[in-house]
Amino acid sequence: MPPDRLLSLLDKYTNVAGKRVAVLGLIFKPGTDNVRNSRAIPVIEGLQRRGAEIVAYDPTAAENMREHFPELEYANSPEQALDGAAAALIVTDWMEICDLDEEFDAMATSVVVDGRRAIDRRDRIVYEGLTW
């Protein structure tokens, strides 16, 4: 599924202009640090067009993505990225992202669009799951 579908699902639930949005995972698949052809790039560009305040997390690729988007905030953990976020977009299914659960409770509003079916649907979050 293309990144614009991920963004359209987000638009269905919230207007992200001026709001903190967590982008979890910056590479296509876990185990690399290569951001070339990453689906996170058009997702971030779409969030920028929407006026979101983006905080990104990836355990290996943050420095490589910083070359493309030096203005973004880069979190040291998925928990830090989620803290106070109005929404979260899951782009890569890293194990530390798949293991998230109660960490979503730290969000300002718990809207989660899961592009990798990385987490389980749970109470207290608005969840949309899809795969590309």
Side-chain angles (χ1 to χ4, degrees):
M1 179 136 335
D4 60 339
R5 176 75 173 123
L6 190 73
L7 293 165
S8 68
L9 287 170
L10 177 66
D11 292 340
K12 181 172 138 180
Y13 294 102
T14 188
N15 175 353
V16 296
K19 296 178 183 170
R20 179 180 175 94
V21 176
V23 177
L24 303 177
L26 301 174
I27 57 173
F28 182 68
K29 64 181 183 173
T32 71
D33 64 357
N34 188 342
V35 297
R36 186 174 37 101
N37 299 321
S38 168
R39 290 192 168 112
I41 292 172
V43 167
I44 290 168
E45 291 168 343
L47 289 171
Q48 287 176 325
R49 284 191 301 275
R50 288 164 172 77
E53 295 176 9
I54 304 160
V55 57
Y57 168 75
D58 191 283
T60 65
E63 288 309 309
N64 291 341
M65 191 61 84
R66 194 182 308 271
E67 293 175 20
H68 295 274
F69 300 104
E71 71 282 4
L72 296 187
E73 176 184 346
Y74 291 89
N76 294 319
S77 68
E79 296 85 1
Q80 182 184 4
L82 291 171
D83 189 29
L89 301 174
I90 300 174
V91 180
T92 311
D93 52 348
W94 285 105
M95 188 53 66
E96 54 263 65
I97 294 169
C98 296
D99 288 343
L100 294 172
D101 186 11
E102 293 175 357
E103 294 82 0
F104 292 106
D105 295 338
M107 296 175 68
T109 55
S110 299
V111 175
V112 179
V113 181
D114 184 353
R116 305 301 293 179
R117 291 198 187 266
I119 65 166
D120 293 325
R121 192 179 302 266
R122 67 187 285 270
D123 291 338
R124 297 190 308 273
I125 64 172
V126 176
Y127 176 86
E128 283 281 351
L130 57 111
T131 56
W132 280 318

